[in-house]
Amino acid sequence: MSTPEPAPIPAARSYEAVLTSIEADLRDGKIKVGDQLPGERALALTHGISRASVRDAIRVLDVMGVVRTGVGSGPQSGAVVIANPMAGLAATLRLHMATNHFPVADIVQTRIMMETWAAVEGAGRPRDAGQEESLHKLIAAMAAPDLDREEFHVLDAAFHVMLSSLAGNAVITAMMESLRQAIQSYVSAAIDNDTIWDAMVPSLRAQHSEILAAVLADDGVRAASALKDHIEWFHSQTHPM
């Protein structure tokens, strides 16, 4: 039996030279947030590629939240370096969830790992009055009797993201913000029956209040336990075995 030939290594795309170069310049501090990238012609000449390939690279960077593009002239025109990691992560998560590459069970498990860790860290860190007020406002908004289901889902996702941000970890905050729309999407899709939803809402409100009370009492272990129970309970209600 003959040995199968190894799969050929895909040829590098022309625009990847631009991405690699910009990554190196960012890492070395040659380019910083707020700087304007060289124009299409200059990048094309530098890398020996077409201006169309340069445009492809700029589009990729735009989607990834690394640059913002503008028209006209001046410091805000062209491609300006920004730092919006949530943009790229959120788009990737949504698309891969749409292809069922990321099963809901895996999203749930990831949430539990990140949110329980963040709860323990956040409960032990100093908080300002604005953060606590914002969390109380979200709880109060979710308690409104005339709140429809979609509005509740938006507030629910915002509550979890803000709670995780108390840990003060920029990576966790970016990942949770990126998960926000994915969380909101699977929560919204999980329930299509108003009767079932109406029966669940009182428990959800009570669970959110318990989580927040534990965090504000600086009891990270209790907050983490309440979060884990809350996430697993919701998943069990919407995806029964």
Side-chain angles (χ1 to χ4, degrees), residues 5-236:
E5 292 292 327
I9 299 173
R13 298 177 178 89
S14 297
Y15 68 80
E16 290 179 348
V18 179
L19 299 181
T20 301
S21 173
I22 290 173
E23 178 185 354
D25 286 347
L26 286 167
R27 189 171 54 246
D28 295 341
K30 295 177 182 177
I31 300 175
K32 301 179 293 298
V33 171
D35 287 351
Q36 189 178 43
L37 295 184
E40 285 182 9
R41 175 187 284 274
L43 287 171
L45 288 172
T46 298
H47 298 287
I49 59 177
S50 69
R51 293 179 67 171
S53 293
V54 171
R55 284 192 290 273
D56 287 341
I58 299 303
R59 289 190 192 100
V60 171
L61 292 170
D62 196 346
V63 171
M64 292 170 66
V66 178
V67 302
R68 179 190 66 247
T69 57
V71 297
S73 59
Q76 297 305 310
S77 65
V80 177
V81 178
I82 61 173
N84 183 19
M86 284 78 82
L89 289 171
T92 300
L93 283 169
R94 289 199 311 273
L95 288 169
H96 282 292
M97 283 193 71
T99 65
N100 294 318
H101 184 71
F102 291 151
V104 170
D106 289 356
I107 294 289
V108 170
Q109 190 175 51
T110 302
R111 284 189 62 191
I112 290 172
M113 288 189 293
M114 289 199 302
E115 293 191 51
T116 55
W117 177 88
V120 173
E121 291 294 313
R125 290 172 56 89
R127 297 175 297 275
D128 61 49
Q131 290 173 313
E132 295 189 2
E133 182 182 2
S134 295
L135 286 165
H136 280 301
K137 283 183 177 178
L138 286 168
I139 291 289
M142 282 187 280
D146 58 346
L147 193 68
D148 69 33
R149 197 163 67 209
E150 291 306 315
E151 290 173 321
F152 190 99
H153 296 328
V154 172
L155 294 168
D156 187 342
F159 173 78
H160 284 272
V161 171
M162 186 171 292
L163 202 66
S164 295
S165 73
L166 297 180
N169 183 300
V171 176
I172 291 293
T173 301
M175 291 178 69
M176 278 300 300
E177 183 63 45
S178 302
L179 273 172
R180 178 178 185 160
Q181 292 181 348
I183 292 169
Q184 188 177 318
S185 174
Y186 87 71
V187 167
S188 178
I191 308 168
D192 58 3
N193 184 300
D194 284 335
T195 301
I196 295 175
W197 173 247
D198 290 343
M200 291 176 62
V201 167
S203 295
L204 290 172
R205 288 170 174 156
Q207 290 164 6
H208 286 146
S209 295
E210 165 61 17
I211 293 165
L212 180 57
V215 170
L216 298 183
D218 300 328
D219 190 340
V221 173
R222 176 180 145 210
S225 177
L227 265 166
K228 182 175 184 292
D229 290 345
H230 162 65
I231 296 170
E232 289 181 338
W233 177 84
F234 182 85
H235 186 59
S236 71

